[in-house]
Amino acid sequence: MSLPSSIRCQFPALQQEVNGRPLVYLDSAATSQKPQRVIDAVSNFYETSCANVNRGAYELGRRSTNLYEGARTLLQEFIGAEHSEEIIFTKGCTEAINLAANSWSAEYLEYEDVILVSEMEHHANIVPWQMAAERHGARVIPIPVTFDCEIDLDQFESLLREEPVKMVAVKHICNATGTINPIEQIATMAKEAGSAVMIDGAQGLAHQRVSVKDLPIDFYAMASHKAYGPMGIGALYGKREVLRELPPYQGGGDMIRAVSFEDTTYRKPPGRFEAGTQNPADAAGFAEALRFISEVGVEALHQHETEIRIAAEKMLQDAGADIVGSPKEKAGIISFVLPRIHPHDFSTFSDQLGAAIRTGHHCCMPLMSSLGLPGTARVSLAAYNSIEDLNVLIEAIESARRIFA
Amino acid sequence: MSLPSSIRCQFPALQQEVNGRPLVYLDSAATSQKPQRVIDAVSNFYETSCANVNRGAYELGRRSTNLYEGARTLLQEFIGAEHSEEIIFTKGCTEAINLAANSWSAEYLEYEDVILVSEMEHHANIVPWQMAAERHGARVIPIPVTFDCEIDLDQFESLLREEPVKMVAVKHICNATGTINPIEQIATMAKEAGSAVMIDGAQGLAHQRVSVKDLPIDFYAMASHKAYGPMGIGALYGKREVLRELPPYQGGGDMIRAVSFEDTTYRKPPGRFEAGTQNPADAAGFAEALRFISEVGVEALHQHETEIRIAAEKMLQDAGADIVGSPKEKAGIISFVLPRIHPHDFSTFSDQLGAAIRTGHHCCMPLMSSLGLPGTARVSLAAYNSIEDLNVLIEAIESARRIFA
Amino acid sequence: MLQELYQEVILDHSKSPRNSGVIDEPSHQAEGFNPFCGDQVKVMLIVDEGLIQEIRFSGQGCAISQASASMMTQAVKGHTVAEARDIFKTFHKAVTEDDEPDIDVLNELASLCGVKAYPSRIKCATLAWHAMEEALENHA
Amino acid sequence: MLQELYQEVILDHSKSPRNSGVIDEPSHQAEGFNPFCGDQVKVMLIVDEGLIQEIRFSGQGCAISQASASMMTQAVKGHTVAEARDIFKTFHKAVTEDDEPDIDVLNELASLCGVKAYPSRIKCATLAWHAMEEALENHA
Ligand SMILES: Cc1ncc(COP(=O)(O)O)c(C=O)c1O
Ligand SMILES: Cc1ncc(COP(=O)(O)O)c(C=O)c1O
């Protein structure tokens, strides 16, 4: 592998046994494990700097504000944003998309407008748009996905031509199939048709380098916990000119300029969109996770995951599994089905051997029904995996086959 | 004091010096410090049980689900709710109020309806109602506050008589003045007038026992970080019959029953209101904080804080400070002003001596303008404080007076 | 040890489910969803004078949920609605509590008790039952 | 050491602020808010042919923000808009960067450099200046 196996030692959760077998964690697309340094960054915040941010009249408040704003600047640089005020912290990727769907729609979405959402989207990038469409009388139309599990660009093009499209919402990397979507091309096509663009970057952050300032997109949504960071924090990137025009999302402390019963006014972005007590504890952990990723290198991570993925796909196929989808560009995610063995049954076999995989619809019900599948078993890879991890899965397939064949 | 001084040893952040002086933390109403056991509960989650909840096809997933649902049950018992499904986890108290204001208003709020909000509310319990009122064409009317900083119950009664009031939003304990509001009486009056009731319990949780099943309220909103728990999590309590009727707030994974482009259906509460990846890490910490509070005892905490508060008020008055408000029932919070010394200037003096106090409007701008004050200095107490902590403040007053007198 | 979970009788029912299919004009019906794995089952009944005359199910799911649905239809068909509810109670206890299962009532259904050792699979075993219960509360 | 932050001249300006009050018909005005402490200041100007003829401020704030507003009005009155902006630039550098302040331009304003050691107070020192800058961009 291209990454040293010592990386695994940095992850305390991976040093344990489960059901009498060493834990093999193959569900990083759900949430990644956290290196010790990230866990320590969070504890360390509570042990030394615990105070609310932006109220820096005392030393602890200044420390927490510096950690919080430092995390914002780090994330800005990490994703190549031009201004730190383009980074809004949220509690996760889902909230980031809801925020955008809500505030953007309030400003721009009108009766009968069209929102194009790819058929492979995660529910987090479908349901908020359905809700916004319902509020404003607009329509959500799916962009079909090919049998290879790629977005059908021809059909996308004709949808763009025919409809007055106001928003195109597409994921960067598909959590169910590993497809890396050509977001630059999709965004360029959308912009030419006059549409805004939301990229769901939940699976992108730790796996593909982005430079959002060079992409013709309006929003990029992210989650810390899928990128070696703590739970409870995520972020929305929004282009400065776009954010400036949008009304707030949640109301409360920290997002206001002045409150009165006659007239309440709001701060400029990003403050306007960050109501309530901020979360500097998890921001500090998120920042540490970004440092971890930068030190290992996003490209090295992708190469490491790709090497394992390619070997794993072969092993799985040799063991009789059908791999779902064959996109040209693919991240370290493999969905597969086993003839005559329901994924849910299979997961009990792998669990018995200490392997954590995900089975089901992966929050992509429309994709599953378009593929005609009740669900799949999914392996998703990260820095700490090695090809040996896959041996356990093959063992589980054999043991399940003994019962179901 | 009624609490042993050894409690302080459990808080690692308090074992440090700031500006060459031992840290004296007097800003617990902003965020409380966390005992080691809470910090460890969060780390421990990441080190042993890190996985998404509700996807329990493998061991780590079962552990995280048990921790998460265990925290829900614990909070249910802690606040005396009848059903665990009445507890919705949010990222904080502000989000809890926004969720309620949004979903409740979508179902019930109509043109020209009235929402009564006390003049002493935190911005988090004003702005979401203003936003909801704007969406639905309703009106937000303030309930006046007396010079003692109590809600004016006579005026409240006449407001209830005259207006078609649909919602009464009031805080349990005032973060600016320490006032403990008679929430049972207020809620009973509101219910008699046919109104729903939101209690902002941000300052209540760790300081006053509640039994929500015995209160005629619809919602009670809470924050973990103000109750010895981690940041990034809070909760909304909603009565079962009420929650069942409400539409979802955010859309995404975990809150759906089934998603399709034709028809998306939602889960029952609480799932319906918890979109996206849950936060079991901070839920585990929140649960540990509730255990800490239960072991010390809410009554013992209140007594401890009250003893210090009464002694502190005398010391401050002797040093020339004017205490803001004199409500009959008061928590361990003191707002004061110093003649000829602006609170913001004063905070620099106390910071120099290692004391962390809050100055400003405490996110209660309408209250400050009704009191005719630009802001106050505020001391807020918790388990780890002692009357000795106040000596530093008196020292700061003397040193500020030498310059400003 | 997974042999205990996947006993022969369970595999048999899941491979050749009894009473699978649809009823054109059911008197009662409901759908069960497991939002976490996507399993879904529809239960249709014809109830006449309190008696379950006919019961069928359709849908997708793992071996446990299919076998449980199949055995359920056999267990309740010809029984009264009240009896069917009682059987569910006994079954529910058997797959969630530690007491000895009541074999006399459960018969083949007792083979599903193995899920107790796999908490995340209990929902699979009870999915169709919850749908039946809901169906009996609603009407068609 | 707080004597250095609160120098005599600052206390003097904060106790008896110069040019405090309102201008009835300003040509330019803007409000500055510090949402975190609630400090607020309104700056009104009469600008004629690029020259700041009159400037006043009103509002509430700590000693630092009041003194800074007061000194600001003295520093820019009678200057051109372009000069006023330059003075702000020099002042801003002086209270945020480590270089020696330009005493020739700043005069009394140099007394505010002490805030550098108290980062949370820098916003107090620049509040009125930002309001003036905004006023000069808008019109009345
Ligand atoms: C593609 C994709 N989008 C959005 C989400 C939602 O992210 P979060 O759960 O952090 O809100 C996920 C993960 O659950 C995902 O894989
Ligand atoms: C009375 C009151 N309500 C609401 C809030 C908001 O809580 P949070 O910051 O956790 O969202 C606070 C604290 O900031 C508060 O003191």
Side-chain angles (χ1 to χ4, degrees):
Chain A
M1 297 314 108
S2 48
L3 291 183
S5 59
S6 60
I7 281 200
R8 193 186 162 92
C9 305
Q10 299 181 35
F11 291 81
L14 300 176
Q15 317 305 319
Q16 61 183 317
E17 297 203 336
V18 150
N19 293 322
R21 306 270 303 227
L23 170 62
V24 168
Y25 190 75
L26 294 166
D27 197 15
S28 297
T31 198
S32 66
Q33 296 300 325
K34 325 300 173 201
Q36 191 67 52
R37 57 195 278 184
V38 166
I39 304 172
D40 290 346
V42 176
S43 312
N44 197 46
F45 170 84
Y46 289 125
E47 286 164 13
T48 66
S49 316
C50 180
N52 284 2
V53 304
N54 287 338
R55 299 274 190 282
Y58 53 84
E59 176 58 23
L60 261 52
R62 283 188 290 277
R63 287 187 204 159
S64 77
T65 305
N66 288 345
L67 283 168
Y68 190 68
E69 294 305 327
R72 196 191 303 279
T73 314
L74 205 66
L75 181 57
Q76 172 208 341
E77 288 162 4
F78 190 89
I79 63 166
E82 219 161 339
H83 312 282
S84 67
E85 71 210 64
E86 296 181 320
I87 304 291
I88 300 164
F89 282 120
T90 63
K91 70 171 170 177
C93 181
T94 300
E95 178 170 77
I97 299 173
N98 275 274
L99 190 170
N102 209 283
S103 292
W104 176 88
S105 302
E107 186 66 23
Y108 295 114
L109 199 62
E110 285 171 15
Y111 187 68
E112 302 238 304
D113 280 350
V114 167
I115 300 168
L116 292 184
V117 172
S118 101
E119 222 171 45
M120 70 164 79
E121 291 316 296
H122 188 279
H123 299 160
N125 205 19
I126 301 175
V127 184
W129 299 112
Q130 290 180 323
M131 289 172 151
E134 195 178 309
R135 270 197 307 279
H136 300 279
R139 293 169 293 154
V140 174
I141 296 181
I143 313 170
V145 165
T146 67
F147 188 73
D148 290 339
C149 291
E150 293 182 334
I151 290 176
D152 188 325
L153 293 179
D154 292 336
Q155 298 217 42
F156 176 48
E157 194 168 20
S158 34
L159 283 169
L160 280 174
R161 251 196 319 266
E162 280 179 33
E163 312 281 357
V165 177
K166 287 288 183 66
M167 172 59 79
V168 171
V170 164
K171 65 191 359 173
H172 189 173
I173 294 179
C174 180
N175 59 307
T177 60
T179 309
I180 303 176
N181 285 315
I183 52 171
E184 178 155 13
Q185 186 182 357
I186 290 170
T188 306
M189 289 164 71
K191 283 286 163 191
E192 270 164 22
S195 171
V197 178
M198 155 64 81
I199 302 295
D200 169 0
Q203 300 293 340
L205 198 59
H207 303 279
Q208 283 283 297
R209 185 170 294 290
V210 284
S211 175
V212 289
K213 71 167 163 301
D214 302 316
L215 289 172
I217 62 175
D218 297 80
F219 302 108
Y220 192 87
M222 294 158 278
S224 150
H225 73 97
K226 294 184 196 284
Y228 308 102
M231 294 173 146
I233 194 162
L236 176 69
Y237 159 82
K239 282 251 165 24
R240 178 157 73 167
E241 313 79 71
V242 177
L243 292 183
R244 279 197 179 154
E245 301 304 318
L246 301 188
Y249 175 48
Q250 298 183 333
D254 255 32
M255 52 73 77
I256 57 94
R257 189 165 170 274
V259 172
S260 74
F261 281 99
E262 295 74 42
D263 182 30
T264 291
T265 52
Y266 306 115
R267 288 174 64 196
K268 285 189 276 196
R272 183 190 303 165
F273 303 105
E274 294 182 347
T277 299
Q278 311 306 311
N279 186 348
D282 292 320
F286 192 5
E288 194 57 33
L290 295 176
R291 279 183 214 107
F292 167 80
I293 299 173
S294 297
E295 285 169 25
V296 180
V298 177
E299 289 79 5
L301 282 166
H302 180 61
Q303 197 192 327
H304 172 80
E305 290 153 15
T306 301
E307 283 172 24
I308 304 177
R309 175 188 50 87
I310 290 172
E313 285 178 342
K314 184 157 182 329
M315 285 167 75
L316 287 166
Q317 278 168 327
D318 289 348
D322 293 323
I323 310 291
V324 175
S326 50
K328 281 183 291 297
E329 299 289 332
K330 197 172 174 182
I333 292 176
I334 310 167
S335 253
F336 61 94
V337 290
L338 295 162
R340 285 180 309 283
I341 307 178
H342 190 279
H344 209 170
D345 292 310
F346 176 64
S347 72
T348 296
F349 285 81
S350 58
D351 180 35
Q352 281 304 301
L353 301 176
I357 60 162
R358 169 63 48 90
T359 58
H361 53 61
H362 317 297
C363 293
C364 294
M365 282 189 164
L367 177 64
M368 293 298 136
S369 40
S370 106
L371 296 172
L373 293 171
T376 71
R378 182 189 71 184
V379 164
S380 54
L381 304 163
Y384 35 74
N385 290 116
S386 71
I387 188 67
E388 283 73 42
D389 292 348
L390 270 295
N391 293 338
V392 182
L393 222 56
I394 303 301
E395 197 184 332
I397 293 182
E398 280 158 10
S399 119
R401 182 153 311 123
R402 271 195 296 280
I403 284 184
F404 284 99
Chain B
M1 298 313 110
S2 49
L3 292 182
S5 60
S6 60
I7 281 199
R8 194 186 161 92
C9 306
Q10 298 181 34
F11 291 80
L14 300 177
Q15 316 307 319
Q16 61 183 316
E17 298 204 334
V18 150
N19 293 324
R21 303 272 302 228
L23 170 62
V24 168
Y25 190 74
L26 293 166
D27 197 15
S28 298
T31 198
S32 66
Q33 296 300 325
K34 326 300 174 201
Q36 192 67 52
R37 58 195 276 184
V38 166
I39 304 173
D40 290 346
V42 176
S43 312
N44 197 44
F45 170 84
Y46 289 125
E47 286 165 13
T48 65
S49 315
C50 179
N52 284 2
V53 304
N54 286 339
R55 298 275 189 280
Y58 53 84
E59 176 58 22
L60 261 53
R62 282 189 290 279
R63 286 187 204 160
S64 77
T65 305
N66 288 344
L67 283 168
Y68 189 68
E69 294 304 327
R72 198 192 302 280
T73 314
L74 204 66
L75 181 56
Q76 172 207 340
E77 288 162 4
F78 190 88
I79 63 166
E82 219 160 340
H83 312 283
S84 67
E85 71 209 65
E86 296 180 320
I87 305 293
I88 300 163
F89 282 121
T90 63
K91 71 172 169 176
C93 181
T94 300
E95 178 169 76
I97 299 173
N98 275 274
L99 191 170
N102 209 283
S103 293
W104 176 88
S105 301
E107 186 65 23
Y108 295 114
L109 199 62
E110 285 171 16
Y111 186 66
E112 300 238 306
D113 280 349
V114 167
I115 300 169
L116 292 185
V117 171
S118 101
E119 223 171 43
M120 69 164 79
E121 291 315 297
H122 188 280
H123 298 160
N125 205 18
I126 300 176
V127 185
W129 300 113
Q130 290 180 324
M131 289 172 150
E134 194 177 310
R135 271 196 306 281
H136 299 280
R139 293 169 293 153
V140 174
I141 296 182
I143 313 170
V145 165
T146 66
F147 187 73
D148 290 339
C149 291
E150 294 182 334
I151 290 177
D152 188 325
L153 293 179
D154 292 337
Q155 297 218 44
F156 176 48
E157 195 168 19
S158 36
L159 283 170
L160 281 174
R161 251 196 320 266
E162 279 178 34
E163 311 280 358
V165 177
K166 287 289 182 67
M167 172 59 80
V168 171
V170 164
K171 67 197 349 180
H172 189 174
I173 295 178
C174 181
N175 59 306
T177 61
T179 309
I180 303 177
N181 286 315
I183 52 171
E184 179 157 11
Q185 186 183 357
I186 290 170
T188 306
M189 290 165 71
K191 282 286 162 191
E192 270 163 21
S195 172
V197 178
M198 155 65 81
I199 302 295
D200 170 0
Q203 301 293 341
L205 199 57
H207 303 278
Q208 283 284 297
R209 185 170 293 290
V210 284
S211 175
V212 290
K213 71 167 164 302
D214 302 317
L215 289 172
I217 62 176
D218 296 80
F219 302 108
Y220 192 88
M222 295 157 276
S224 149
H225 73 98
K226 294 185 196 282
Y228 308 103
M231 295 174 144
I233 194 162
L236 176 69
Y237 158 82
K239 282 252 164 24
R240 178 157 73 169
E241 314 78 73
V242 177
L243 292 183
R244 278 199 181 152
E245 302 305 318
L246 300 188
Y249 176 48
Q250 298 183 332
D254 256 32
M255 53 72 78
I256 57 94
R257 189 163 169 273
V259 172
S260 75
F261 281 98
E262 295 74 42
D263 182 29
T264 291
T265 53
Y266 305 115
R267 287 173 65 196
K268 285 189 276 195
R272 184 189 303 164
F273 303 105
E274 295 182 348
T277 299
Q278 311 306 310
N279 185 348
D282 292 321
F286 192 5
E288 194 57 34
L290 296 176
R291 279 184 213 106
F292 167 79
I293 298 173
S294 297
E295 286 168 24
V296 180
V298 177
E299 289 79 4
L301 282 166
H302 180 61
Q303 197 191 326
H304 172 79
E305 289 152 15
T306 300
E307 283 172 24
I308 304 177
R309 186 211 11 113
I310 290 171
E313 285 178 342
K314 181 153 184 333
M315 285 167 73
L316 287 165
Q317 278 168 327
D318 289 349
D322 293 322
I323 311 291
V324 176
S326 51
K328 281 183 291 298
E329 300 289 333
K330 197 171 175 185
I333 293 175
I334 310 167
S335 253
F336 62 94
V337 290
L338 295 162
R340 285 179 310 281
I341 307 177
H342 191 279
H344 209 171
D345 291 310
F346 176 65
S347 72
T348 297
F349 285 81
S350 57
D351 180 36
Q352 281 304 302
L353 301 176
I357 61 162
R358 169 64 50 91
T359 58
H361 52 61
H362 317 297
C363 292
C364 294
M365 282 189 164
L367 176 64
M368 293 297 136
S369 37
S370 107
L371 295 172
L373 292 172
T376 71
R378 183 189 69 186
V379 164
S380 54
L381 304 163
Y384 36 74
N385 290 116
S386 70
I387 187 67
E388 283 74 42
D389 291 349
L390 270 296
N391 293 339
V392 182
L393 222 56
I394 304 301
E395 197 184 332
I397 293 180
E398 281 158 10
S399 119
R401 181 151 314 121
R402 271 196 295 279
I403 284 186
F404 284 100
Chain C
M1 63 227 120
L2 281 169
Q3 270 80 350
E4 267 178 49
L5 177 61
Y6 292 106
Q7 296 180 21
E8 252 334 301
V9 49
I10 293 178
L11 295 174
D12 175 54
H13 272 275
S14 80
K15 280 178 204 156
S16 344
R18 327 295 196 259
N19 299 309
S20 104
V22 296
I23 296 178
D24 283 339
E25 296 195 359
S27 64
H28 296 69
Q29 64 180 359
E31 253 180 306
F33 258 96
N34 185 340
F36 300 120
C37 59
D39 280 6
Q40 109 192 51
V41 67
K42 186 167 177 180
V43 174
M44 294 143 282
L45 305 99
I46 295 181
V47 179
D48 193 23
E49 307 208 337
L51 218 70
I52 297 175
Q53 309 273 7
E54 188 57 277
I55 175 168
R56 287 181 172 274
F57 77 97
S58 64
Q60 301 169 321
C62 60
I64 303 291
S65 77
Q66 292 290 299
S68 180
S70 168
M71 292 182 201
M72 172 185 84
T73 58
Q74 291 192 315
V76 303
K77 197 165 160 181
H79 284 270
T80 65
V81 167
E83 284 164 354
R85 287 200 171 112
D86 279 345
I87 298 171
F88 181 22
K89 268 203 205 105
T90 311
F91 175 70
H92 197 271
K93 258 186 93 160
V95 296
T96 53
E97 291 175 21
D98 271 338
D99 313 342
E100 272 300 293
D102 186 341
I103 304 283
D104 292 346
V105 175
L106 294 176
N107 301 314
E108 275 188 351
L109 282 167
S111 65
L112 285 161
C113 292
V115 298
K116 263 201 305 239
Y118 305 89
S120 53
R121 307 305 302 278
I122 293 173
K123 273 193 188 134
C124 310
T126 57
L127 184 65
W129 295 83
H130 283 293
M132 176 185 76
E133 187 161 63
E134 203 186 313
L136 292 175
E137 273 165 30
N138 307 336
H139 273 255
Chain D
M1 63 228 122
L2 282 168
Q3 271 79 350
E4 268 179 48
L5 177 61
Y6 292 107
Q7 296 180 21
E8 252 335 303
V9 48
I10 293 179
L11 296 175
D12 175 53
H13 272 275
S14 80
K15 279 178 206 158
S16 346
R18 328 294 196 260
N19 299 308
S20 105
V22 296
I23 296 177
D24 281 338
E25 295 194 0
S27 65
H28 296 70
Q29 65 180 359
E31 252 179 306
F33 258 96
N34 185 340
F36 300 120
C37 59
D39 279 7
Q40 108 193 49
V41 67
K42 186 169 177 178
V43 175
M44 293 144 283
L45 305 100
I46 296 180
V47 179
D48 193 23
E49 307 208 336
L51 220 67
I52 297 174
Q53 309 273 7
E54 186 58 275
I55 174 166
R56 288 183 171 274
F57 77 99
S58 64
Q60 302 168 318
C62 60
I64 303 291
S65 77
Q66 293 290 301
S68 180
S70 168
M71 294 183 199
M72 172 185 84
T73 58
Q74 290 192 315
V76 303
K77 197 164 158 180
H79 285 269
T80 66
V81 167
E83 284 164 354
R85 287 202 171 111
D86 280 343
I87 298 171
F88 181 21
K89 269 205 204 103
T90 310
F91 175 68
H92 197 269
K93 257 187 93 160
V95 295
T96 53
E97 291 175 23
D98 271 339
D99 313 343
E100 273 298 295
D102 186 340
I103 304 282
D104 292 347
V105 176
L106 294 178
N107 301 315
E108 276 188 349
L109 282 167
S111 65
L112 285 161
C113 292
V115 298
K116 262 200 307 238
Y118 304 89
S120 54
R121 307 304 302 276
I122 293 173
K123 273 192 189 134
C124 310
T126 57
L127 184 66
W129 294 84
H130 283 293
M132 175 185 75
E133 186 160 64
E134 203 187 312
L136 292 173
E137 274 165 29
N138 308 337
H139 273 253

